[in-house]
Amino acid sequence: MILLIYAHPHHSRSIAQRLLLDAVRDLPQLRVHALYDRYPDFSIDVPAEQALLAQARLVIWQHPLHWYAPPALLKLWFEAVLTNGWAYGSGNALAGKDCIWVTSTGATAQDYQADGKHQHEFGAFVPGVKQTAQFCGMRWLEPLVVHGAHRLDRSALEQHGVSYRARLEAWVEEHG
């Protein structure tokens, strides 16, 4: 199973994230798990989340970038669900699972340069999410990043969705 952990605090207002999600949601091997729908009060059912993760072979963390990081509920989910003794330390429940980070930014790729608006290349903002996966023994796969998402026209966003779907279909083909 592919488990897509979707964390968008304003899904109804999103065009880019919604199009990305719509591009893959009907894949038969995929389960979409929308955190803000499931936990509007931020009260996470840790055993249920761990049970879902245990079934997955590929975990996708999909969300818009908020202040250079995942949205608050996904950050809380990391802290509550990926616990010592289960996900790391004496536990290895996620070891060997693949992980893809799918994120979108409001800023363009040019804004993520040393001389750009954010004064760093986008890669400077990747380590926290990447290390979370790797610390849990997951295999980090190349992220899918859509820059300047709210500035792209529908056709460009749909093309990102086509690429996203093709990537997941290739993963399924490779991993059976």
Side-chain angles (χ1 to χ4, degrees), residues 18-55:
R18 191 167 356 111
L19 285 172
L20 288 172
L21 188 60
D22 288 346
V24 300
R25 78 166 51 241
D26 67 338
L27 289 169
Q29 304 86 351
L30 181 111
R31 177 171 179 172
V32 175
H33 189 60
L35 293 183
Y36 280 88
D37 290 345
R38 176 129 170 104
Y39 303 115
D41 61 355
F42 280 49
S43 183
I44 297 171
D45 181 345
V46 172
E49 296 300 308
Q50 290 175 341
L52 278 175
L53 284 166
Q55 297 171 38

Side-chain angles (χ1 to χ4, degrees), residues 139-172:
R139 191 172 80 123
W140 180 256
L141 304 180
E142 187 66 27
L144 171 65
V145 181
V146 178
H147 288 291
H150 68 281
R151 298 173 189 180
L152 299 176
D153 65 23
R154 186 175 188 88
S155 176
L157 290 170
E158 287 173 346
Q159 186 54 50
H160 282 289
V162 167
S163 298
Y164 183 18
R165 184 180 184 94
R167 185 165 174 198
L168 294 186
E169 289 173 337
W171 184 92
V172 168

Side-chain angles (χ1 to χ4, degrees), residues 6 32-33 36 40 42 49 57 72 80 90-91 94 99-100 108 112 126 131 134 140-141 146 152 171 173:
Y6 182 71
V32 175
H33 189 60
Y36 280 88
F42 280 49
E49 296 300 308
R57 292 183 60 206
S90 63
L94 302 177
C99 183
I100 299 175
T108 66
Y112 285 102
V126 174
Q131 186 58 27
Q134 291 181 324
W140 180 256
L141 304 180
V146 178
L152 299 176
W171 184 92
E173 181 70 26

Side-chain angles (χ1 to χ4, degrees), residues 40-103:
D41 61 355
F42 280 49
S43 183
I44 297 171
D45 181 345
V46 172
E49 296 300 308
Q50 290 175 341
L52 278 175
L53 284 166
Q55 297 171 38
R57 292 183 60 206
L58 169 63
V59 176
I60 301 168
W61 293 324
Q62 181 177 332
H63 61 84
L65 200 67
H66 280 196
W67 289 106
Y68 312 107
L73 183 54
L74 183 55
K75 179 68 171 82
L76 177 63
W77 184 91
F78 288 154
E79 294 171 12
V81 176
L82 307 180
T83 56
N84 187 1
W86 186 80
Y88 68 94
S90 63
N92 63 356
L94 302 177
K97 295 179 186 292
D98 289 340
C99 183
I100 299 175
W101 184 35
V102 177
T103 193

